[in-house]
Amino acid sequence: MRKECKISMPLYKIAYAVSFVILLSLVRGVFYSFEVGIALEPPMAILTAVFCADTYVMEIVAKRSEIWRLYPLKKKLYSIYMRLFLQQFFLLLLAAAGYGLFFLFQKPRVSGVTSITLISEAAQFWIFLASSLVTIVFWGIFSNTIACIFRNMWFGIGASLILWILTNSTLGDRYLGKWNIFSYSFRNVENSSDFGWICGKIICICLGITAIAVLPKIIEKRR
């Protein structure tokens, strides 16, 4: 695990990811506390796509592909899954830290501080974290899968950017509604009891499972 962590998360990747979240919490303005999750989810999605796109192709970039081809398929898949897990776990922790940084730097408005308010804010954070987990896992798997198909991380990043632009938009919200993969960001914040946005996260989970299912065949063909 330590070896995979060292390979998949070199210092420069950690540095730009941390810098990105810190700058976002300073620059992206929020006024109310419920806006923090909305401000964080889409940027974390594209950061994840960039961060995880080289999970497989880093072997090619580092000129270790000849040795990599000698590994049995199970060992290759184990390395890829472990690297994805480590990267996504780091990004989830970073998303949680970013949530706190918004409160530290911008101090968004929270309606009267009472025990009920504190419970509500805590629930809001955990809902954000659950949504972020699905978002991070989906975008990490998606960018890596596309990169595996074309053996090029830039294809993974490019395809992710196109999907991100299409779904994180007014048109995406209008035509996809609660089935949008960014349904959490477009949810009705005035109705806290409306959890229809979970449908979008179910779509993410289904697409992620599909990508994981086809990944062994993709890797086998790239041997």
Side-chain angles (χ1 to χ4, degrees), residues 2 17 101 103 107 129 132 146 162 187 203 212:
R2 185 176 299 178
L101 288 176
F103 280 86
K107 297 178 174 58
L129 207 60
S132 294
I146 300 299
I162 292 171
R187 72 192 190 283
I203 292 294
I212 287 292

Side-chain angles (χ1 to χ4, degrees), residues 150-164:
F150 294 98
R151 293 173 63 86
N152 190 311
M153 64 175 286
W154 295 108
F155 277 92
I157 294 173
S160 298
L161 181 60
I162 292 171
L163 180 62
W164 188 88

